[in-house]
Amino acid sequence: MVITVTAALSVSAQSQAAEPLQSLVPVPVSVQAKSGVTHSLTTATKIYTAPAARDVGTFLAGVLRPSTGYALPVSDAVGTPTDGIALLLSGAPGTVGQQGYQLDVAAGAVTVRANTSEGLFAGVQTLRQLLPAKVESTSVQAGPWTVPGALITDYPRFSYRGAMLDVARHFHPVAAVKRYIDQMALYKINYFHWHLSDDQGWRIVIDSWPRLATYGGSTQVGGGAGGYYTKAQYSEIVQYAAARKITVIPEIDMPGHTNSALASYAELNCNNQAPPLRTDIEVGYSSLCVNKDITYQFIDDVVREIAALTPGPYFHIGGDEANATSDADYQAFMNRALPIVKKYGKTVLGWHEFVKTTTDTAAIPQYWGTTTSNATVQAAAARGNKVIMSPANKAYLDMKYNSSTPLGLSWAGFVEVQDAYNWNPGTHLSGVPESAVRGVEAPLWTETIVTSRDIEFMAFPRLAVHAELGWSQWSTHNWDQFKVRLGNQAPRWSTMGINFYRSAQVPWDTGGPPPGPCSQPAWDRNSVYTNGNVVSHNGHKWTAKWWTKGEEPGTTGQWGVWRDDGVC
């Protein structure tokens, strides 16, 4: 039985919970269900891998062993195994490219084929979602461990699918960073942008400038103790990410957002006077001294030491909100700073402002604006630069969901789940066609984010939303279908202990029986409602708190008209 993407997804929330093939995020390119076929993991199941992909098999075994209690030995594949789980670097369709895969679930065996280990790893993430959510448990659970029969062929829309974590405003220790990397990997995100320095803190040891970490990293927003990573810890995280096929991109913001460096070394200031450390959240007031040679020795040392620890091809130089630097000084600064990045073998990324200073088409601007037109980025795209799309009013994970969200900021507006979903990275910015878009990235700034639970509350469910925008073909983009698949991630997140925001826009699978029919009249966009009126929408009962017309229950908007009275 062939299930087209549209047909596979156009099912009710009530039946969806039992249909893992119809609950996948990101949605695959092609799903062909095999009627009446299932595969079961047992105590005898083995994992076979192409020798060059042994690490992917080891990763999969590490996911499955704690919950199943099975040994799941990993060994080299000989030919095409007829039992167990096989991860093979041969026989994949040419269409899957370098990051895609084919997943074939038969009664006797599960076979994942790809052209690269990255593709196999992506296939493994899909396989995880085809197993019961309790497979993510860290303790032994009762089976059965069944996978629905299917042939899935899949590959990404964009090669770059990123997430950024700011550790400068609030320091997040190694364990917290690893936890977030694990969460990224589940949804096929393949770049981790690590914002390591800002006005409020410097978070990486630089041997030639030791006070950057010990003094510049000694505090954080609100005046807490701060912290920093040793070089060994940095390398540990880089390796941890690499094992999950995620490339680390370090960011050292310059010439602005540099107060922690300026406070650490007086000579980086034009007046040779170090300012005090800052623990507020203001921006745009700091700048390295553009006319001093010591500034560029500093940049050379920092880039050299971090580049030596970073096997990935990219280095992010920030470049945004340099309000304390004149346009002429900004140009002069970039004329000297950008060649330093290239000198140490890295391709430069930066917030989109920087690209006005260079004609190098290898440079990658990251668009963070809130408008759908930007002359600087449009001109860069016309020259041949590839753009990363991170519009703040769509992709920033630190924006509040609504006016009552306890964490986050709202300078770019409220970003509910549907807002995060309803934009097209390939057409969002005028003059920047899809062919000029390298991919998408979801940044998480941490002015208000202190713990892993805070990270998760702001990232989930929106991280999964942006993962789908980056991976899935635009032809599959449909909110009504997506919100059901997204809701079916809830049991998995609950099992993993993820503290996610239960948006009223999403019909969450609670793991229990489906909601019953609603006896209240369905909400009508064209009707007027007043205080006390009750309607049904998305399987929930809603009570109007005051006059409203056209505001959808669950979207809350600016005023939060509707009160959610729970499922029907």
Side-chain angles (χ1 to χ4, degrees):
M1 178 176 63
V2 176
I3 298 182
T4 66
V5 168
T6 300
L9 302 177
S10 58
V11 296
S12 68
Q14 285 85 345
S15 64
Q16 176 93 2
E19 297 288 347
L21 283 175
Q22 299 165 7
S23 301
L24 296 171
V25 175
V27 66
V29 171
S30 170
V31 176
Q32 300 176 35
K34 299 180 181 179
S35 183
V37 174
T38 60
H39 178 87
S40 296
L41 306 186
T42 70
T43 55
T45 296
K46 299 177 182 179
I47 297 173
Y48 306 95
T49 75
R54 174 65 76 95
D55 62 323
V56 182
T58 301
F59 175 88
L60 176 60
V63 172
L64 302 181
R65 284 169 179 158
S67 54
T68 64
Y70 300 160
L72 299 168
V74 180
S75 60
D76 289 348
V78 178
T80 302
T82 56
D83 67 298
I85 301 171
L87 308 177
L88 306 178
L89 291 172
S90 61
T95 55
V96 305
Q98 294 301 296
Q99 295 184 18
Y101 63 91
Q102 183 184 76
L103 171 59
D104 189 355
V105 181
V110 174
T111 306
V112 185
R113 297 182 183 273
N115 296 314
T116 64
S117 61
E118 289 78 12
L120 288 178
F121 190 83
V124 161
Q125 306 321 306
T126 299
L127 176 59
R128 288 171 72 177
Q129 290 192 38
L130 294 179
L131 283 158
K134 60 187 176 182
V135 81
E136 306 293 344
S137 176
T138 56
S139 60
V140 175
Q141 306 292 307
W145 303 104
T146 58
V147 186
L151 180 65
I152 297 174
T153 304
D154 200 13
Y155 49 85
R157 179 185 183 190
F158 296 110
S159 63
Y160 184 108
R161 303 171 305 282
M164 187 213 80
L165 182 64
D166 165 24
V167 296
R169 270 49 178 270
H170 278 99
F171 178 70
H172 294 272
V174 170
V177 176
K178 286 182 174 180
R179 180 172 173 84
Y180 197 40
I181 288 171
D182 279 332
Q183 293 162 359
M184 295 175 202
L186 181 61
Y187 293 97
K188 304 181 176 70
I189 288 170
N190 61 345
Y191 285 94
F192 171 45
H193 173 181
W194 202 0
H195 186 81
L196 289 163
S197 71
D198 216 296
D199 290 312
Q200 300 84 357
W202 186 285
R203 306 303 183 199
I204 177 67
V205 165
I206 303 297
D207 292 335
S208 51
W209 298 76
R211 276 175 56 84
L212 291 171
T214 58
Y215 185 70
S218 64
T219 191
Q220 59 187 9
V221 167
Y228 59 85
Y229 308 102
T230 66
K231 286 188 169 181
Q233 289 172 325
Y234 180 94
S235 294
E236 179 184 345
I237 288 173
V238 167
Q239 292 165 13
Y240 191 85
R244 288 145 184 80
K245 308 305 176 184
I246 292 173
T247 299
V248 170
I249 302 173
E251 180 186 352
I252 300 296
D253 212 339
M254 58 181 90
H257 288 279
T258 47
N259 191 75
S260 60
L262 299 173
S264 301
Y265 287 95
E267 58 266 41
L268 297 178
N269 298 269
C270 289
N271 63 3
N272 292 315
Q273 295 182 15
L277 293 169
R278 295 279 292 253
T279 61
D280 59 341
I281 64 171
E282 293 300 314
V283 298
Y285 57 84
S286 61
S287 180
L288 294 168
C289 190
V290 171
N291 298 319
K292 280 187 160 186
D293 287 340
I294 190 68
T295 294
Y296 304 98
Q297 183 59 56
F298 162 76
I299 293 171
D300 192 286
D301 289 337
V302 169
V303 174
R304 171 177 51 80
E305 292 193 32
I306 295 177
L309 300 173
T310 308
Y314 301 120
F315 194 102
H316 201 297
I317 51 85
D320 62 320
E321 297 176 324
N323 303 340
T325 312
S326 70
D327 287 346
D329 279 353
Y330 188 83
Q331 180 71 56
F333 176 84
M334 289 298 174
N335 286 347
R336 294 188 67 176
L338 298 183
I340 292 172
V341 175
K342 181 175 284 190
K343 171 183 173 183
Y344 291 108
K346 302 301 181 186
T347 297
V348 67
L349 277 75
W351 303 109
H352 68 260
E353 292 96 319
F354 95 96
V355 81
K356 68 187 177 184
T357 68
T358 179
T359 57
D360 181 2
T361 55
I364 301 172
Q366 182 171 0
Y367 179 68
W368 63 276
T370 59
T371 65
T372 56
S373 178
N374 184 279
T376 297
V377 180
Q378 183 175 342
R383 288 195 302 269
N385 296 78
K386 301 296 186 182
V387 182
I388 294 170
M389 296 298 296
S390 300
N393 55 339
K394 299 291 185 180
Y396 272 28
L397 301 180
D398 55 298
M399 290 299 106
K400 290 175 177 284
Y401 295 98
N402 55 57
S403 59
S404 61
T405 305
L407 299 170
L409 304 175
S410 58
W411 62 264
F414 301 129
V415 184
E416 249 290 2
V417 181
Q418 188 172 1
D419 301 317
Y421 182 79
N422 278 345
W423 66 289
N424 183 349
T427 62
H428 183 75
L429 207 53
S430 52
V432 182
E434 180 156 339
S435 60
V437 176
R438 185 175 295 271
V440 296
E441 182 176 293
L444 178 53
W445 304 97
T446 61
E447 286 93 340
T448 68
I449 309 303
V450 181
T451 66
S452 281
R453 286 183 61 80
D454 294 346
I455 290 173
E456 291 161 6
F457 184 78
M458 299 306 285
F460 284 88
R462 292 179 297 190
L463 185 69
V465 173
H466 293 296
E468 171 139 341
L469 283 171
W471 181 278
S472 299
Q473 307 305 303
W474 184 249
S475 59
T476 68
H477 194 83
N478 181 295
W479 166 251
D480 288 332
Q481 296 167 1
F482 173 73
K483 69 183 181 183
V484 177
R485 289 186 288 110
L486 186 64
N488 285 323
Q489 301 297 304
R492 193 166 305 273
W493 296 345
S494 296
T495 300
M496 297 173 77
I498 293 175
N499 178 39
F500 66 97
Y501 165 64
R502 293 180 179 270
S503 170
Q505 297 181 337
V506 178
W508 297 106
D509 179 358
T510 62
C518 294
S519 59
Q520 298 76 18
W523 172 74
D524 178 5
R525 185 177 299 277
N526 297 313
S527 294
V528 171
Y529 298 98
T530 58
N531 180 34
N533 288 157
V534 182
V535 300
S536 64
H537 187 62
N538 283 343
H540 285 233
K541 301 185 291 285
W542 304 89
T543 300
K545 293 189 276 187
W546 47 76
W547 187 97
T548 184
K549 179 181 179 181
E551 183 169 309
E552 182 181 0
T555 61
T556 70
Q558 184 176 2
W559 306 111
V561 170
W562 294 98
R563 184 185 74 227
D564 184 357
D565 294 321
V567 296
C568 297

